[in-house]
Amino acid sequence: MSVFVRVGGVAHHVVTEGTGPVCVLSAGLGMSWFDWDAVVPSLTSHRTVVRFDRPGHGLSAPAAVPPSATGEAHRIAGLLDALSLPGPVTVVGHSIAGFHAEAFARLHPDRTAGIVLVDASVEEHARTPAAPALRTAAARGLGALLSAAGAPAAIGPAARHATVRLSRAAGGDPAPADLVRRVYSTSRVLHGTLLENTHYRAVAAELLALRERFPLPQGRPVTVLAAPDGSARWARRQRALARRLGARYEAVEPSGHLMMWDRPDAVARAVRDQEEA
């Protein structure tokens, strides 16, 4: 079922499938709901799977305010309320959405059944950048210039394909070509991606602050899936994240950063294993 629900005054595109305990899938920077297509079939027989596009991503409306860790955690809660799915839920966060999944667990512990971090972003010493309003204005100004020059329609889908190819061990972009054109030819997605990227470090720094104030809920499983892809440094950082969160660590190989395309079996298994635990 594909619907649009309003949270914080913004229309969010949400796809819900399956039956059973709820699992929320949130993709990384610039990604869309269909980037989970390979994972969903392995979950829907025993899970209610919720995929959504953050503002300015996929088919969702543009963002009303810049992103924050707290705001993204409350966004997930608001979507669940709008769908009448109170939880508890397992939140699966890929890349930057790993920040959002962890923030949700810390700020909504009673609604959290578990967390699965899929090659999640790691920032051990992030600090909030100065002049956030100026950064927002700069991101929006750049987006306006590129949109006026026709960049989204001219190179948006090609840029998407190139990014996916570079982020996969298998190469190629398996997403439906018609959906890629529909989504990535828009200035809305360009603006949304620029805005999230601009505030990446601010969100990371906010999460570090949340860790000091709000513990993870006890007894809720946390899994860190890493795609080292030959990088010992990335493996060390992901292992350190797992230790910090008291999580189970698994190196998924072969896989690139877009593990949901390269190894959907590993992502689905991590969710199922949490349910059994």
Side-chain angles (χ1 to χ4, degrees):
M1 179 181 67
S2 178
V3 298
F4 286 86
V5 299
R6 297 190 74 83
V7 177
V10 176
H12 291 70
H13 174 238
V14 185
V15 178
T16 306
E17 302 159 274
T19 59
V22 178
C23 172
V24 178
L25 309 180
S26 186
L29 177 70
M31 298 291 104
S32 299
W33 85 96
F34 52 74
D35 285 302
W36 296 103
D37 276 357
V39 176
V40 171
S42 298
L43 294 175
T44 49
S45 62
H46 60 283
R47 284 272 178 161
T48 299
V49 181
V50 178
R51 297 181 272 172
F52 74 98
D53 294 321
R54 294 189 300 280
H57 288 61
L59 299 179
S60 291
V65 296
S68 68
T70 298
E72 295 307 318
H74 293 338
R75 186 186 314 284
I76 295 171
L79 286 167
L80 293 171
D81 289 340
L83 296 169
S84 299
L85 297 172
V89 306
T90 298
V91 183
V92 182
H94 165 251
S95 194
I96 191 175
F99 293 158
H100 311 158
E102 183 183 339
F104 175 84
R106 293 184 183 280
L107 294 173
H108 298 276
D110 293 340
R111 304 186 71 168
T112 303
I115 315 170
V116 178
L117 303 180
V118 180
D119 212 39
S121 298
V122 180
E123 294 295 337
E124 299 89 345
H125 309 291
R127 295 183 178 182
T128 304
L134 290 178
R135 291 173 178 272
T136 298
R140 288 179 169 158
L142 177 59
L145 286 173
L146 292 173
S147 297
I155 65 171
R160 146 81 195 200
H161 290 318
T163 299
V164 171
R165 283 196 299 270
L166 292 172
S167 301
R168 294 192 62 209
D173 186 354
D178 59 331
L179 291 179
V180 170
R181 286 192 299 271
R182 180 182 177 188
V183 169
Y184 293 91
S185 295
T186 67
S187 59
R188 172 178 45 78
V189 172
L190 171 64
H191 281 272
T193 303
L194 288 172
L195 190 63
E196 275 205 350
N197 187 62
T198 296
H199 291 279
Y200 169 84
R201 289 201 173 275
V203 172
E206 184 186 355
L207 179 61
L208 294 182
L210 290 177
R211 286 179 181 173
E212 300 301 318
R213 298 175 56 202
F214 300 97
L216 286 173
Q218 293 187 350
R220 309 299 200 278
V222 181
T223 303
V224 170
L225 300 179
D229 196 24
S231 172
R233 181 173 182 269
W234 185 241
R236 287 195 300 270
R237 295 178 73 190
Q238 290 284 314
R239 285 184 180 277
L241 174 64
R243 289 194 297 270
R244 176 68 177 79
L245 302 181
R248 182 181 74 84
Y249 172 83
E250 179 183 348
V252 179
E253 298 177 297
S255 179
H257 183 53
L258 291 178
M259 192 184 297
M260 62 274 259
W261 282 120
D262 280 338
R263 293 293 306 276
D265 60 313
V267 178
R269 184 177 64 250
V271 175
R272 293 195 302 266
D273 288 349
Q274 284 203 348
E275 182 181 6
E276 294 173 2

